[in-house]
Amino acid sequence: MKLFLNRLSVLSKRSFINPAMYVMSGVILLMALLVIFVPEKETSVYIPVAVLNEDNSEETEDIVSELCEMNSIFHFYEVDDEEELYKDLASGKANTAYIFPKHFTEHLTESGRKYDVKQVKTPASSFPFLSREEVFGHFYSYSCKQIIVDTLAGYGYEVDLQDPELERLFGKYIDDQTLFALESVEGTVYNAITRSEKVPIPLYKFAGFFIFTAALLGALAFLNDQDNRIYLRFRLAERIYLGLIQVAVFTFPALIVSVFCFLISRTEFDPLHVIIYTLLVTFIAFALGTVMTVLPIRTARSKIFSAVLPVYLILSFLFSGILMDLTNFGTALRTLSTLFPPSMF
């Protein structure tokens, strides 16, 4: 027992003096500090809305122009035909769309006639009811004045839509927003939406890469001991035990540093998942080292492993999802990423 405890102490000291462990620990600590101290950036949110105007009347043209020029969370823009409209919706360029049919304003206030504005949305559409209210709000002032004129005409009074007094009275009535206003239930006017977000720092994914790299460094130390014939006097079970300990004394400190960084940066993590992942990569690295020891190679196995290690780590960094999420890039890349354990973290 003393021999194994002594060996554990020696192996632990080896991991603590490995410069690569300190470099990676410094990097992940720096990333955690960036998560803590980098201020949130406030960005404006806007929702693109496509508009197809098939009416082409002067009134509709004016109202569509007002929609396209207004400053709100919705960015209205015109399209030429339905094909372009549906293409924009399918590609995500447009979040919602509206189609103004022919003769819309001409028959807008006629009873018994129905010329509806068509709203086209998808399951991904954001605030479709609010954009609908924006559209209604811009048609409202025109349609109400037309209703006033038509109603008075029914009683034999002729009123001009451009009459200054009508404009003054009607404007005074609707401009105070007591009749119509685009508001939330709390009373906040939806003229803009901003969101605060931090610069995306892949702390969690990098921790998975750090733990895996530490495991491979442990496997390299295990192979180096094999090349130096340190384990010759031990039985097979003892060699397996010492080999696992050799890898574990590298992965355990990486685990501790990673969890510490998660806690101080308030990064959400599943402790069970982190522990299982650490045990898994420990066994993978040990199995890899064991396979290397039984290969009929005359050259020192640790030299071959150390030559291949940098290339494999670079590929792991690129294909494990640290820089980008590969799940959206097709089956081939998703399958390729499974060759690199950090992709499971």
Side-chain angles (χ1 to χ4, degrees):
M1 187 66 180
K2 279 186 178 181
L3 179 62
F4 285 104
L5 291 175
N6 177 266
R7 194 64 189 153
L8 177 61
S9 175
V10 172
L11 294 177
S12 299
K13 289 178 181 178
R14 181 185 295 179
S15 69
F16 291 143
I17 63 173
N18 191 303
M21 293 292 291
Y22 285 97
V23 170
M24 296 199 69
S25 296
V27 171
I28 195 170
L29 282 169
L30 177 61
M31 294 174 72
L33 291 175
L34 289 174
V35 172
I36 297 170
F37 293 110
V38 171
E40 291 185 343
K41 183 180 180 182
E42 194 171 82
T43 55
S44 297
V45 179
Y46 76 93
I47 301 170
V49 181
V51 177
L52 174 59
N53 181 17
E54 295 181 338
D55 185 21
N56 294 322
S57 67
E58 183 179 347
E59 293 82 0
T60 310
E61 291 286 354
D62 290 341
I63 294 170
V64 170
S65 295
E66 290 177 8
L67 285 169
C68 295
E69 293 170 4
M70 73 176 185
N71 180 24
S72 79
I73 62 171
F74 302 105
H75 171 62
F76 288 87
Y77 70 96
E78 280 196 82
V79 294
D80 296 328
D81 50 45
E82 284 198 31
E83 182 180 353
E84 183 182 355
L85 182 143
Y86 285 107
K87 182 179 178 181
D88 285 0
L89 280 172
S91 65
K93 180 180 178 181
N95 186 275
T96 314
Y98 291 91
I99 301 174
F100 302 120
K102 294 180 180 179
H103 311 298
F104 174 71
T105 53
E106 182 181 345
H107 303 288
L108 181 62
T109 59
E110 289 186 14
S111 60
R113 302 288 292 269
K114 194 172 183 180
Y115 289 86
D116 290 338
V117 173
K118 183 179 180 181
Q119 183 188 52
V120 187
K121 59 183 180 178
T122 68
S125 296
S126 303
F127 304 116
F129 60 96
L130 287 179
S131 62
R132 188 162 60 240
E133 298 240 351
E134 287 281 14
V135 173
F136 169 76
H138 282 77
F139 276 100
Y140 178 77
S141 60
Y142 169 79
S143 59
C144 281
K145 284 189 285 187
Q146 187 63 51
I147 290 172
I148 292 172
V149 172
D150 293 345
T151 302
L152 291 176
Y155 289 95
Y157 297 98
E158 295 293 331
V159 180
D160 184 4
L161 276 174
Q162 307 302 322
D163 182 85
E165 185 63 14
L166 176 63
E167 290 280 356
R168 186 186 70 80
L169 293 173
F170 186 74
K172 182 180 178 181
Y173 182 58
I174 66 171
D175 287 348
D176 60 2
Q177 296 194 7
T178 57
L179 183 63
F180 174 82
L182 188 59
E183 298 184 59
S184 71
V185 291
E186 293 84 8
T188 303
V189 177
Y190 281 95
N191 57 2
I193 287 182
T194 59
R195 63 183 173 196
S196 297
E197 56 184 13
K198 291 208 171 195
V199 177
I201 299 173
L203 176 65
Y204 188 79
K205 295 297 291 185
F206 186 82
F209 177 74
F210 176 30
I211 296 171
F212 180 60
T213 302
L216 293 181
L217 292 175
L220 177 60
F222 171 59
L223 287 173
N224 189 59
D225 286 349
Q226 290 282 1
D227 290 337
N228 293 330
R229 300 178 181 276
I230 292 176
Y231 299 141
L232 283 179
R233 295 184 179 181
F234 295 101
R235 296 188 299 273
L236 178 61
E238 295 170 338
R239 292 183 185 183
I240 293 173
Y241 173 78
L242 289 173
L244 282 170
I245 291 298
Q246 176 71 87
V247 179
V249 294
F250 279 83
T251 55
F252 185 72
L255 169 65
I256 297 299
V257 173
S258 298
V259 171
F260 174 74
C261 291
F262 294 155
L263 292 175
I264 64 173
S265 64
R266 297 183 179 180
T267 300
E268 292 185 6
F269 71 100
D270 182 355
L272 181 61
H273 175 72
V274 175
I275 292 171
I276 291 175
Y277 171 80
T278 303
L279 292 175
L280 179 63
V281 296
T282 299
F283 281 109
I284 290 174
F286 170 70
L288 183 60
T290 302
V291 170
M292 289 287 294
T293 60
V294 299
L295 292 177
I297 304 172
R298 293 184 179 181
T299 309
R301 294 166 178 82
S302 59
K303 290 183 178 179
I304 298 174
F305 191 82
S306 61
V308 175
L309 182 60
V311 177
Y312 184 70
L313 286 178
I314 291 172
L315 292 175
S316 296
F317 190 82
L318 293 175
F319 290 101
S320 58
I322 297 174
L323 298 179
M324 65 181 73
D325 185 6
L326 298 180
T327 57
N328 299 322
F329 288 86
T331 306
L333 281 179
R334 285 200 301 270
T335 304
L336 181 62
S337 68
T338 58
L339 300 177
F340 307 98
S343 63
M344 299 181 295
F345 193 69

